[in-house]
Amino acid sequence: MSPLRPALIAAALILGTATPVQAAPGPEITVQNGRTQPVFSYADAIREHVYVESTVDSDADGRLDRVRVDIIRPKESGPGLKVPVVIDESPYYDNSGRGNEGERKVYDDAGNVVKFPLFYDNYFVPRGYAVLNVDMLGTTRSDGCPDIGGKADVLGGKAVIDWLNGRAKAYRADGSPAVADWTTGKSAMIGKSYDGTLANAVAATGVRGLETIVPISAISSWYKYQRSNGVVYNYDYASWLANYVDTDPEAKCQAVRDRMDAEDGDDTGDHNAFWAERDYIHGLLGDVSKVRASVFVAHTVNDLNVKPDNFSEWWEALAKRGVPRKIWVGQTGHVDPFDFEGRRGLWVDTLHRWFDHWLHGVRNGIMNEPRADVEVAPAQWITERDWPSPRGLKLTLRPSADGSLRLLPGKKATASFTDVRMAEPDMVSDVGTAKPGRIAYTTGELPLDLRLSGTPVADLRVRLDRPTANLTALLVDFGDDTRVDWRRGGGITTLTEEDCWGESTAADDGCYRKVVTNTVDRPLEIVARGWIDVQNRLSLSRPTPLPVGTYGSVKWETLPQDYVFKKGHRIGLVIAGTDATYSNETGTGANVTVDLSRSSITFPVVLGTPLESVPQDKARFVGPREVTLPEPEREFSFF
């Protein structure tokens, strides 16, 4: 008999009953309509922090780096009620902040976070999740130095997953051990930009316990983030970004930044071991073949920060491996889907159902729905079986000596320009007028709508009078239209009115300002862009100069797109030298001669216009209109 039992019996006799009073049971995970329900108190949630020991010493101080992990979880969670975990690991918690409103962590006197950025904690903790805001190594309250996609970045995040599954150690602020006895070990990683990049990176290690990731506008290859086929976007970018996210004294991590500058290969633009370490598709630290997690990708085709080839090639590689996946493809710039106009409620609900399915095992049918949500016009969306559209047909257009862009090759002819540094607006203006730094070609007016869905391929046969040149290929839509103005505010304007997602406290509300899509009436739109250093045409790591005066094939992919060329518009192809808008390269001065009859651009198109979208909370699928294929003579007539 336990020591307390006699006292309980005595008390019961005094009260005239032999039945002890039982404590009321606490709330449990509750599922209704395929969704976990908000049965746990957000205000009463446990807020704590631990330091997880990693396997790296990035600042070379002789001690393994520790990762700061801020935790909020239901009060009832513990050995008797284990909950899954949603993780947002970020380097931005004490500099730029998170989300459209730049939220930062706010701490109480005990060092625990009382304001967690974004809505994940407000929404998911009441529904039976723990939410972890993790400071990437080298940032905020973690040890170490930022590694900009490299070993420390990757293994720091992995250590947190390992700790949640009993494979790594963690400590409280007083040095006592911390055990995650309150979790099932199942976790998700989510985040935009660098945060989503860390999710991709950790998933590529194959770590067990990471069940799903939601990379938003995320990097899959740091080479592609800062290079395009040998063309450098920004010099010494890795060291600059490392210094930006690290709020420690500069001297602490100067040696790490110096090493980055020495190893990044900016002098050549070539791919090397530095970039291979920072590649999550075919990298040294991990690759797509090791991914165990399901993947819910969100990206936009006009994101010229984390350019869309970072999602398209990751997506394609995941598909080849049969990884369970879902995707949203928007038209704005570097914007979170939480801030897509008219889609906030659908995003939160879709994310909720995705996490419920993969972390709580709820059978809610989300994997039986169309895989892709695609924006085809400002704030107008359709759903499809996959992305790119599986209904796409390859269309090849060829430049001709008369300035036209045709389906069939023209007579043998050449055109020349000089590789000079030139901005995009100059490249696409006055296309009927000759310019020394570019050549330009257009179709006639289109007899029907054509939707580009996927990645165009430029295929040129060129001759140079120098060993190399930088080449730019632009696919352009000429025609007045109202388009997403992704250049202004990333394509959105933030309003003063708010809506709320989840529960709130005085210190941390779940309310955020609404947004609208920016639009603009323009006579043209650059639809797809692609760049290459000719000496990297055969290999990104082993440059091969083109023999002077000799023709050679230069074939490369532009950035992907999903865009509707409307009936009556004209499609244009502009070929130029060094791009001054997105590259810091200098022009080579080479004279570039293009063999027009053996050059082309090919891209996947869907014929016809998608039906106008209906409110997405009322319908989940909007299909394409059936379009009759034109007769061959009609097909040729507009080119």
Side-chain angles (χ1 to χ4, degrees):
M1 180 177 291
S2 69
L4 295 179
R5 185 60 59 85
L8 289 173
I9 294 174
L13 292 174
I14 293 172
L15 294 173
T17 175
T19 305
V21 177
Q22 300 292 323
E28 296 180 346
I29 306 297
T30 302
V31 178
Q32 293 178 2
N33 299 319
R35 296 161 177 82
T36 51
Q37 299 299 303
V39 298
F40 301 97
S41 168
Y42 178 73
D44 294 338
I46 295 172
R47 294 162 173 83
E48 59 186 342
H49 64 277
V50 302
Y51 298 88
V52 174
E53 187 172 83
S54 74
T55 56
V56 294
D57 177 13
S58 61
D59 54 9
D61 64 356
R63 299 187 301 272
L64 293 176
D65 299 336
R66 292 186 179 182
V67 186
R68 163 79 178 224
V69 180
D70 289 299
I71 302 166
I72 179 169
R73 56 187 175 90
K75 180 182 66 175
E76 295 80 6
S77 60
L81 178 65
K82 295 178 182 289
V83 296
V85 176
V86 175
I87 300 170
D88 186 350
E89 182 185 8
S90 179
Y92 294 130
Y93 284 128
D94 67 349
N95 38 70
S96 62
R98 303 313 299 129
N100 186 39
E101 299 175 38
E103 291 187 319
R104 299 186 181 189
K105 291 179 178 179
V106 177
Y107 305 85
D108 63 16
D109 292 340
N112 293 317
V113 171
V114 293
K115 179 178 177 60
F116 287 77
L118 305 177
F119 74 95
Y120 304 138
D121 56 311
N122 308 86
Y123 189 85
F124 286 106
V125 170
R127 288 166 169 80
Y129 292 84
V131 172
L132 276 55
N133 281 185
V134 177
D135 297 339
M136 189 186 84
L137 281 180
T139 69
T140 314
R141 300 192 177 192
S142 285
D143 297 339
C145 294
D147 203 16
I148 309 305
K151 184 177 180 180
D153 282 14
V154 178
L155 297 184
K158 178 180 179 294
V160 177
I161 308 295
D162 284 333
W163 172 65
L164 293 171
N165 287 275
R167 299 187 299 264
K169 298 177 181 178
Y171 303 90
R172 303 194 182 279
D174 62 6
S176 61
V179 178
D181 59 358
W182 42 265
T183 179
T184 62
K186 292 185 176 182
S187 60
M189 293 185 73
I190 186 173
K192 177 192 167 191
S193 198
Y194 209 141
D195 305 18
T197 301
L198 295 169
N200 283 342
V202 175
T205 69
V207 62
R208 294 183 181 274
L210 183 59
E211 302 297 323
T212 191
I213 61 171
V214 185
I216 301 166
S217 301
I219 297 166
S220 61
S221 162
W222 285 83
Y223 178 89
K224 288 191 174 297
Y225 182 54
Q226 285 302 307
R227 301 279 195 278
S228 174
N229 303 300
V231 173
V232 178
Y233 298 146
N234 301 286
Y235 290 104
D236 294 333
Y237 182 84
S239 62
W240 174 86
L241 182 58
N243 197 37
Y244 173 77
V245 300
D246 187 355
T247 52
D248 290 321
E250 286 202 12
K252 175 186 174 184
C253 294
Q254 186 62 51
V256 175
R257 293 191 297 273
D258 289 344
R259 175 178 54 79
M260 290 180 182
D261 287 342
E263 296 178 355
D264 63 13
D266 277 355
D267 55 329
T268 65
D270 295 337
H271 191 279
N272 59 22
F274 178 86
W275 301 106
E277 183 178 320
R278 293 160 173 81
D279 185 335
Y280 312 130
I281 301 177
H282 308 293
L284 297 178
L285 294 176
D287 60 64
V288 71
S289 70
K290 298 178 181 177
V291 173
R292 300 175 184 273
S294 62
V295 183
F296 183 1
V297 171
H299 214 115
T300 61
V301 289
N302 292 312
D303 187 343
L304 272 300
N305 176 354
V306 181
K307 296 177 180 63
D309 53 346
N310 270 281
F311 91 80
S312 62
E313 297 195 15
W314 177 240
W315 178 256
E316 182 181 2
L318 293 169
K320 289 179 178 178
R321 298 291 302 177
V323 174
R325 64 204 186 280
K326 188 173 181 64
I327 192 168
W328 278 26
V329 180
Q331 288 282 342
T332 56
H334 196 57
V335 172
D336 192 298
F338 186 75
D339 296 312
F340 291 165
E341 180 183 351
R343 302 275 289 185
R344 183 170 288 180
L346 181 60
W347 171 251
V348 173
D349 185 62
T350 304
L351 196 61
H352 181 187
R353 294 169 62 235
W354 183 264
F355 285 159
D356 278 357
H357 176 79
W358 290 104
L359 300 181
H360 275 298
V362 177
R363 296 183 179 180
N364 53 25
I366 194 165
M367 297 306 295
N368 299 324
E369 297 171 356
R371 183 174 287 141
D373 282 39
V374 185
E375 188 176 16
V376 294
Q380 293 187 9
W381 292 74
I382 62 171
T383 58
E384 292 220 80
R385 287 189 292 109
D386 210 335
W387 191 91
S389 173
R391 299 176 295 113
L393 305 171
K394 286 187 177 180
L395 174 66
T396 298
L397 300 178
R398 299 169 174 86
S400 184
D402 62 0
S404 64
L405 199 57
R406 300 173 176 269
L407 285 170
L408 297 178
K411 295 180 180 179
K412 186 171 180 60
T414 63
S416 298
F417 63 92
T418 303
D419 174 17
V420 294
R421 187 169 165 79
M422 196 174 188
E424 275 192 351
D426 293 331
M427 291 181 183
V428 299
S429 65
D430 303 321
V431 292
T433 303
K435 289 188 177 183
R438 68 104 204 268
I439 52 178
Y441 305 88
T442 61
T443 67
E445 293 184 354
L446 301 179
L448 76 171
D449 291 353
L450 294 176
R451 174 184 160 212
L452 186 166
S453 181
T455 304
V457 177
D459 188 354
L460 308 180
R461 185 166 177 79
V462 303
R463 182 182 67 202
L464 309 179
D465 65 355
R466 300 186 184 187
T468 194
N470 299 318
L471 298 183
T472 298
L474 304 178
L475 190 65
V476 188
D477 175 24
F478 290 102
D480 291 317
D481 201 3
T482 300
R483 300 173 168 93
V484 175
D485 189 6
W486 51 268
R487 296 176 179 86
R488 178 166 57 95
I492 61 171
T493 292
T494 305
L495 308 176
T496 57
E497 182 183 359
E498 292 185 329
D499 51 19
C500 302
W501 304 92
E503 298 183 12
S504 300
T505 63
D508 189 344
D509 67 37
C511 304
Y512 294 87
R513 295 167 68 182
K514 296 181 179 181
V515 301
V516 293
T517 302
N518 295 336
T519 60
V520 63
D521 294 332
R522 274 199 295 257
L524 64 88
E525 181 77 3
I526 298 173
V527 176
R529 304 161 166 82
W531 309 275
I532 192 170
D533 182 340
V534 171
Q535 66 183 340
N536 288 112
R537 69 195 182 281
L538 303 178
S539 170
L540 297 181
S541 57
R542 294 183 297 277
T544 305
L546 183 64
V548 172
T550 302
Y551 277 102
S553 176
V554 184
K555 185 176 182 179
W556 78 103
E557 292 184 342
T558 72
L559 299 180
Q561 252 289 358
D562 206 292
Y563 182 89
V564 176
F565 295 95
K566 292 187 177 178
K567 178 180 178 180
H569 287 203
R570 295 177 298 139
I571 298 175
L573 171 63
V574 175
I575 304 168
T578 302
D579 179 5
T581 302
Y582 296 106
S583 165
N584 280 333
E585 296 270 15
T586 56
T588 66
N591 181 263
V592 182
T593 301
V594 181
D595 181 349
L596 299 180
S597 62
R598 300 181 66 178
S599 297
S600 64
I601 188 162
T602 300
F603 51 97
V605 297
V606 180
L607 302 179
T609 307
L611 293 175
E612 291 187 5
S613 62
V614 298
Q616 291 289 301
D617 58 351
K618 295 181 180 179
R620 281 298 305 166
F621 181 73
V622 180
R625 179 189 303 167
E626 292 296 324
V627 177
T628 302
L629 290 172
E631 296 298 323
E633 61 271 23
R634 289 184 57 207
E635 185 178 2
F636 297 151
S637 65
F638 61 95
F639 292 106

